[in-house]
Amino acid sequence: MMMARFIPVSSCQFRFGFRELPPSSSSLNPRRFEVSRRRFSIKCSSSESDDGVDSVSINSSTYSWFTGLGGIGMLDTAYLTYLKLTGSDAFCPVGGGTCGDVLNSDYALVFGVPLPVIGFVMYGLVTALSAQLGEGNLPFGVSKTNGRFALFAATTTMASASAYFLYILSTKLSGSSCLYCLVSAFLSFTLFFLAVKDVKLQELQQVVGLQICLALIVVASLTASYSTAQPIPSSSGDIELPYYSTEITTSSSPYAIALAKHLNSIGAKMYGAFWCSHCLEQKEMFGREAAKLLNYVECFPEGYKKGTKIFKACSDVGIEGFPTWMINGQVLSGEVELAELAEMSGLSLDQATEAKQLQ
């Protein structure tokens, strides 16, 4: 007996059963076949997923990228949120100007809500959604298809907002720079393209309409919020700052003086700019007497205006912001506590104590 196996035909499967009969003595044909049983097993599969039409199909390996980039975005916007809510200055970039021009402008608020807070929430949503989709376990009974649409909608909204903010930065806040804002925009665009790259060509018509609607809503909302916003009075690219010396008001402790002498003796250098508030705060940590003992390098000794180049001694060591410490070949950026400077420079507690006693 001979049985035929499953034979796939397009998306359907058929099965037939045949039996070979012994030849009849009266038959002219030596062999003949008779269908012993007629049996059809048909199974047609559709292109639809079990949970509905999946118009936004994302490769599972891509979710780890969504989670990682979303986490970086959360860190970036969390720092900006801290700066905005506390009124602190960001780490001063090379090139002059104040670092908080953008954060302190009217464009840093959307209907009274700090923009970094909104960014943090959106990055958190993308991170949580991608993590849940990667595990295939969405809460509240949300289907995987709806979760993917939510992720796609979130990244589209973020990319549209970032494009609008880049327009504001280049027109209303021309001359100002915000490295952290540019990082956030880069992350938003990257997340958007990650979502788009897995959309099949035949599915584009279903998602393009969603993109256009979300982009229009975002632009209309931001335009309405910023309708009364005014550009900042001046920008870092338009101002001219003649060099001026800063006054240190605090007195130095014996420990600070001993540390300053030690840093000077080993060739440690502090690079800064006269307009940088963080540089002044670093000097205030040392105090008036100890600050004079530091090997301080001013990176804009002739003042600052548009087109001014940084001092060669600063550019040679690749200074990226102020203040920057160079200690025993190691680079420390930003304000550094005296205890950390002592540890990095090799000043022990016994040496500091002895130095105090010799004064």
Side-chain angles (χ1 to χ4, degrees):
M1 179 178 176
M2 180 175 62
M3 296 293 294
R5 298 177 178 272
F6 280 107
I7 302 175
V9 180
S10 182
S11 60
C12 300
Q13 296 176 335
F14 302 87
R15 185 172 64 188
F16 301 90
F18 297 94
R19 182 177 64 184
E20 183 180 355
L21 300 176
S24 173
S25 58
S26 61
S27 174
L28 297 176
N29 297 324
R31 302 175 67 183
R32 68 185 179 89
F33 289 87
E34 178 183 352
V35 178
S36 61
R37 52 176 179 157
R38 186 169 50 194
R39 182 178 173 187
F40 298 88
S41 177
I42 305 174
K43 180 180 180 181
C44 296
S45 60
S46 70
S47 61
E48 295 182 3
S49 60
D50 294 337
D51 56 352
V53 178
D54 194 357
S55 299
V56 186
S57 178
I58 300 176
N59 193 312
S60 58
S61 62
T62 307
Y63 290 126
S64 59
W65 283 98
F66 277 101
T67 305
L69 293 175
I72 296 174
M74 290 181 67
L75 292 176
D76 179 57
T77 51
Y79 178 60
L80 292 175
T81 300
Y82 165 77
L83 296 178
K84 179 65 177 176
L85 296 181
T86 62
S88 304
D89 290 330
F91 180 59
C92 298
V94 172
T98 58
C99 307
D101 279 351
V102 177
L103 282 178
N104 294 329
S105 69
D106 291 334
Y107 297 101
L109 295 173
V110 177
F111 295 112
V113 180
L115 184 59
V117 174
I118 299 176
F120 181 81
V121 172
M122 293 302 296
Y123 280 116
L125 175 63
V126 169
T127 303
L129 262 179
S130 57
Q132 294 292 331
L133 284 169
E135 297 176 357
N137 183 24
L138 290 170
F140 310 114
V142 177
S143 67
K144 198 168 185 179
T145 296
N146 290 335
R148 288 168 180 160
F149 267 115
L151 183 61
F152 186 80
T155 55
T156 300
T157 301
M158 294 166 66
S160 302
S162 294
Y164 189 93
F165 295 138
L166 290 178
Y167 165 76
I168 293 293
L169 192 62
S170 62
T171 56
K172 306 298 184 180
L173 303 175
S174 59
S176 298
S177 61
C178 180
L179 176 62
Y180 306 101
C181 303
L182 296 178
V183 169
S184 180
F186 172 78
L187 292 172
S188 297
F189 290 135
T190 303
L191 290 169
F192 172 74
F193 287 121
L194 281 175
V196 170
K197 77 178 183 65
D198 286 323
V199 178
K200 297 180 178 62
L201 183 61
Q202 61 269 26
E203 298 167 346
L204 284 177
Q205 293 180 349
Q206 301 181 40
V207 297
V208 167
L210 174 65
Q211 289 177 294
I212 295 175
C213 289
L214 288 174
L216 290 176
I217 292 173
V218 169
V219 171
S221 299
L222 293 176
T223 301
S225 176
Y226 296 151
S227 59
T228 58
Q230 300 295 326
I232 55 177
S234 62
S235 61
S236 58
D238 301 328
I239 62 176
E240 180 176 348
L241 294 175
Y243 176 80
Y244 58 86
S245 59
T246 55
E247 181 182 358
I248 303 173
T249 59
T250 59
S251 299
S252 301
S253 66
Y255 176 73
I257 293 175
L259 176 59
K261 289 181 178 179
H262 175 70
L263 291 171
N264 197 323
S265 67
I266 64 173
K269 295 182 179 180
M270 173 186 169
Y271 297 86
F274 66 93
W275 41 260
C276 175
S277 60
H278 292 283
C279 300
L280 178 59
E281 291 172 3
Q282 181 71 88
K283 293 178 182 179
E284 292 282 3
M285 290 184 186
F286 280 90
R288 186 169 44 251
E289 297 80 11
K292 295 178 182 179
L293 303 174
L294 295 174
N295 192 356
Y296 174 75
V297 180
E298 172 58 53
C299 293
F300 291 92
E302 303 298 327
Y304 174 81
K305 61 181 179 180
K306 187 174 183 179
T308 301
K309 293 184 178 180
I310 193 172
F311 189 46
K312 188 176 184 300
C314 300
S315 61
D316 287 345
V317 295
I319 299 300
E320 297 181 352
F322 307 117
T324 295
W325 285 92
M326 189 72 69
I327 304 174
N328 294 330
Q330 293 183 304
V331 179
L332 292 174
S333 298
E335 300 171 45
V336 184
E337 296 294 332
L338 300 187
E340 186 176 354
L341 289 172
E343 181 180 355
M344 291 292 297
S345 63
L347 179 66
S348 64
L349 182 59
D350 294 337
Q351 289 176 308
T353 303
E354 182 180 353
K356 295 176 186 179
Q357 294 174 350
L358 292 176
Q359 290 182 351

